[in-house]
Amino acid sequence: MAVVVQKFGGSSVATPQKILAAAQRAIDAQAEGNQVVVVVSAIGKTTDSLIALAEEISRNPPAREMDMLLATGEQVSIACMAIAIHALGAKAISFTGPQLGIVTDSSHLKARIKSIETAKLREALEAGSIAVVAGFQGIDEKYDITTLGRGGSDTTAVAVAAAIKLAGYDVRCEIYTDVNGVYTTDPRIVRKAIKVDVISYDEMLEMASMGAGVMHSRSIEFAKKFNVPLMVRHAATSEVGTWVVGEEAWMREVPVCGAALAVNEARIVLDALPDRPGVSRAVFAALAHVNVPVDMIAQNVGSGGKASIGFTVMHADLKKATETLDPIVAELGATMTVTERVSKVSVVGAGMRHVAGVAEKMFAALAANGINMKMITTGDIKISVLIEEDVPPPDDDDDAGTKKSHLDAKRAVRGRLALEAVHDAFGLHMPRTGAGVAPSGYRPRTLSAVVPEARERETAVAKLDGMEDILVSGVHLSTDQSRVTIFDLPDRPGHCSTVFNAVATGGILVDMIVQNITAPGKAELSFTVPRGDLARALKRTQDVARSIDPNCRVVGDADIAVLFVLGVGMRSHTGVARTMFGALAAKGINISMINTSEVCLGVVIERTHAEEALAALKEAFKLS
Ligand code: ADP
Ligand code: ASP
Ligand code: MG
């Protein structure tokens, strides 16, 4: 018998009628011959109201007590859901996260799941009950209640599905929400966005971590790691939603399948850093130690013995980040500049690995709308651009609520413009094979094709230990790349687009791109191209750079190697960068360029150290 895990988001259980409708869906799935687990979020906007309540009492509520408070939201909804299922004539039993045995670490408000006990769940299912599980919450080893971060009920649902799968069941997971599925971008922001039929785990992971709030990114990590097929669909209709599954060849037919916008980030630039091994490690290890996830990291080639690193953190973590970095920056004799409010626009697509000109198209669309790019990073299947918000943050003695909505509205204008421009440039409003539209006759690998291997149930819990640990699946070395760097590029809209247009019209495939703001008004842009194309890329770049500003310096470097660590959760796990940079620093290997995405962390080093670096990383990540 198959197990279906159905997750209902806050809006899908916002009223008693909606709770009853969700309960009916669970009963229908059971009547179809499945065993059913329902995971619920807090009713409507309860979590927001609880946060507002705490903020009215204190400006700085302890994280432990916030978790105690926030977890109550989901406890209300599991009870209501179980009551509804009983009222409709079926059997149900509800469990809080702690009751079920969802054990997490102790990072309050952003806890990670360590293990899930399935005994009670299995008992309930075998007894013919629908098991109703509270999303978003767990318990740490000290028996303190924890929560998984906003939107975390998705992660509970997929993690529970993974745990059941490991206990030997055939399982699928359905995410019920207030949209028909995953769209090419947030349909609330871009009206022309369309629903996609199928998307790969990696694409969804990048989309979610780039700001597509439809799913919690860590839930996709679980889905990928444990190969749990997911469907995102509307709670109020019977329309088929979006499958999230493993990557297949047809998904690479177009370069871009989606775009996303993330707001509420902040940028930190560390300048005049000594350009020597161990410096990046010191910075990111310190942030990892205080559990501040770093989002985009862009480090460019150092010049004159100095390097600069730019990166973003969530605005909410900014204070903690700067306080942590202050002493390190002082010790290194560097400087720190903070941009309080930045937004990030990204495009994602498995097909961009093999297509030239994707970056150029994106940059041109932004330039045509007068939008300046403050930082660029690329991954295997995504390109992200940081946009500065020119609105000052609300000040404390004003009415915070009014100011905040004013600020959000203003910010949304710039972000929406950028997102619309990019969505249009890639024609994402047109349904096409590859852009999430499956070829005719395509069937997602059906659920029964994902039957887990039979396992001893008693050992399943042990195997889940550390289920949310970093999954690094491989380290790759590329020694056939070379790099072009432009120093002192004037920081104005359109220049990057002009440069990449010149390179793309030469048919040259650009792989990694890093752009960072160095001195005020000056940007540094580096990109890698196949070594055989270096001379041509250099010539084209020099010509175009000279036409932009005769003071730009263009430098080529053929003696580089690019190392990639691949896996899932590269960024949301603060420790990946720390381990990677630490392993290289321990061998005295200097990093001259860094680039991040959710599924890949890339660094550029001198080619003479390539093999030694590869071996060091394999050892650090315990890969053979
Ligand atoms: P739930 O309460 O069900 O978890 P969420 O609000 O977390 O719902 O997620 C659903 C919302 O995600 C949608 O209403 C939509 O506005 C937003 N969203 C953002 N990006 C996307 C996208 N690419 N596709 C679909 N929805 C998106
Ligand atoms: N109720 C929590 C939140 O609003 C968790 C969730 O909805 O997924 O963030
Ligand atoms: Mg959600």
Side-chain angles (χ1 to χ4, degrees):
M1 202 185 281
V3 176
V4 181
V5 178
Q6 298 185 326
K7 180 256 167 179
F8 294 92
S11 55
S12 310
V13 289
T15 61
Q17 291 68 27
K18 287 186 176 177
I19 295 174
L20 283 161
Q24 189 58 53
R25 229 181 240 281
I27 294 171
D28 292 348
Q30 194 184 43
E32 282 162 18
N34 301 294
Q35 292 179 318
V36 181
V37 180
V38 174
V39 175
V40 268
S41 296
I43 289 173
K45 302 254 178 247
T46 304
T47 311
D48 292 334
S49 313
L50 292 171
I51 292 172
L53 170 65
E55 281 173 354
E56 273 184 41
I57 301 168
S58 162
R59 275 178 177 232
N60 197 12
R64 180 188 181 279
E65 305 313 327
M66 283 305 288
D67 274 351
M68 192 67 102
L69 177 66
L70 298 189
T72 62
E74 271 69 12
Q75 188 168 340
V76 171
S77 40
I78 51 169
C80 291
M81 180 61 73
I83 291 169
I85 295 170
H86 279 283
L88 294 171
K91 287 202 291 180
I93 175 163
S94 65
F95 300 102
T96 63
Q99 261 181 322
L100 197 66
I102 300 184
V103 180
T104 71
D105 64 17
S106 302
S107 318
H108 287 289
L109 294 167
K110 47 180 155 185
R112 290 185 164 274
I113 298 176
K114 293 175 84 170
S115 63
I116 297 183
E117 175 59 70
T118 57
K120 280 201 184 134
L121 261 185
R122 286 186 278 121
E123 205 180 298
L125 296 177
E126 301 302 342
S129 291
I130 294 174
V132 183
V133 178
F136 179 56
Q137 54 175 256
I139 192 160
D140 73 1
E141 271 147 7
K142 293 179 290 180
Y143 299 102
D144 282 333
I145 290 175
T146 54
T147 62
L148 306 181
R150 297 305 307 271
S153 296
D154 295 330
T155 295
T156 307
V158 184
V160 164
I164 298 171
K165 181 175 175 179
L166 283 182
Y169 292 76
D170 177 9
V171 67
R172 73 169 190 268
C173 187
E174 300 173 343
I175 306 289
Y176 288 93
T177 181
D178 60 355
V179 266
N180 286 336
V182 179
Y183 279 58
T184 47
T185 195
D186 190 339
R188 279 183 304 200
I189 307 179
V190 177
R191 268 205 234 109
K192 283 200 263 174
I194 57 168
K195 190 192 86 177
V196 304
D197 299 336
V198 189
I199 188 166
S200 74
Y201 291 130
D202 280 350
E203 288 170 331
M204 190 65 231
L205 198 52
E206 293 284 15
M207 286 270 285
S209 65
M210 298 304 143
V214 62
M215 284 208 73
H216 198 225
S217 65
R218 274 159 51 204
S219 67
I220 324 283
E221 288 176 28
F222 272 109
K224 181 177 178 193
K225 192 166 172 180
F226 296 97
N227 199 13
V228 176
L230 291 183
M231 157 133 346
V232 181
R233 59 192 303 182
H234 205 298
T237 70
S238 53
E239 205 175 309
V240 175
T242 301
W243 282 102
V244 188
V245 295
E247 185 176 316
E248 297 179 24
W250 64 267
M251 295 175 182
R252 297 189 281 268
E253 283 196 16
V254 294
V256 170
C257 72
L261 174 71
V263 294
N264 292 333
E265 298 206 5
R267 181 179 65 152
I268 299 177
V269 177
L270 304 182
D271 241 327
L273 286 165
D275 188 15
R276 60 172 153 79
V279 171
S280 326
R281 191 199 64 90
V283 169
F284 295 109
L287 293 172
H289 186 69
V290 293
N291 213 1
V292 170
V294 173
D295 184 6
M296 288 169 98
I297 304 178
Q299 183 198 326
N300 297 39
V301 193
S303 71
K306 298 286 180 193
S308 80
I309 304 183
F311 53 90
T312 60
V313 295
M314 287 310 295
H315 191 265
D317 286 330
L318 179 61
K319 193 160 164 274
K320 205 197 238 180
T322 51
E323 281 170 5
T324 306
L325 292 175
D326 270 333
I328 299 171
V329 167
E331 199 188 311
L332 293 171
T335 56
M336 172 157 58
T337 321
V338 169
T339 313
E340 285 252 351
R341 299 279 172 179
V342 289
S343 301
K344 179 180 59 175
V345 184
S346 309
V347 294
V348 175
M352 75 172 67
R353 287 193 195 100
H354 312 288
V355 180
V358 182
E360 191 270 319
K361 207 174 205 177
M362 177 177 188
F363 303 161
L366 295 174
N369 285 279
I371 297 168
N372 199 14
M373 301 185 290
K374 288 294 173 192
M375 197 193 269
I376 302 169
T377 60
T378 57
D380 201 19
I381 60 164
K382 70 103 199 184
I383 302 170
S384 294
V385 168
L386 208 64
I387 307 171
E388 195 171 342
E389 300 298 344
D390 50 4
V391 189
D395 57 53
D396 290 345
D397 32 281
D398 246 283
D399 177 337
T402 326
K403 272 265 176 129
K404 185 170 180 302
S405 53
H406 167 73
L407 184 72
D408 281 347
K410 276 256 207 163
R411 187 177 311 129
V413 172
R414 171 96 56 103
R416 172 175 296 154
L417 180 67
L419 196 60
E420 263 169 2
V422 166
H423 196 267
D424 272 353
F426 290 99
L428 292 178
H429 54 286
M430 292 181 300
R432 271 164 313 156
T433 305
V437 176
S440 63
Y442 171 82
R443 294 255 171 289
R445 266 167 293 162
T446 50
L447 307 168
S448 51
V450 203
V451 178
E453 300 151 39
R455 285 174 204 254
E456 283 298 315
R457 289 183 180 184
E458 292 75 67
T459 59
V461 171
K463 288 201 177 91
L464 284 173
D465 200 22
M467 66 190 298
E468 217 175 339
D469 281 356
I470 303 164
L471 178 73
V472 170
S473 55
V475 183
H476 291 286
L477 169 66
S478 159
T479 48
D480 51 12
Q481 294 277 311
S482 61
R483 176 177 54 204
V484 176
T485 303
I486 312 178
F487 294 98
D488 296 332
L489 189 65
D491 176 26
R492 283 198 299 276
H495 292 336
C496 286
S497 151
T498 312
V499 170
F500 288 107
N501 182 32
V503 177
T505 49
I508 300 167
L509 199 65
V510 172
D511 188 7
M512 206 179 193
I513 302 173
V514 170
Q515 184 238 35
N516 214 347
I517 303 303
T518 45
K522 298 282 179 199
E524 190 179 305
L525 175 65
S526 295
F527 53 93
T528 62
V529 294
R531 181 154 331 105
D533 290 329
L534 176 62
R536 280 193 315 125
L538 206 52
K539 169 89 180 61
R540 284 174 170 267
T541 311
Q542 272 160 345
D543 289 347
V544 77
R546 213 166 288 139
S547 71
I548 293 171
D549 183 339
N551 294 323
C552 292
R553 250 177 343 117
V554 180
V555 177
D557 187 349
D559 295 324
I560 61 157
V562 189
L563 277 162
F564 300 102
V565 174
L566 300 172
V568 291
M570 296 288 100
R571 266 198 324 238
S572 55
H573 293 79
T574 49
V576 183
R578 174 173 49 178
T579 307
M580 183 174 194
F581 303 155
L584 296 176
K587 299 276 177 204
I589 298 169
N590 202 19
I591 299 169
S592 62
M593 192 166 156
I594 301 173
N595 205 9
T596 52
S597 83
E598 196 60 26
V599 295
C600 172
L601 188 67
V603 296
V604 173
I605 57 168
E606 279 173 35
R607 188 137 49 94
T608 45
H609 297 301
E611 295 300 334
E612 192 191 356
L614 181 66
L617 292 185
K618 282 189 171 169
E619 196 188 320
F621 290 106
K622 301 189 178 58
L623 299 162
S624 51

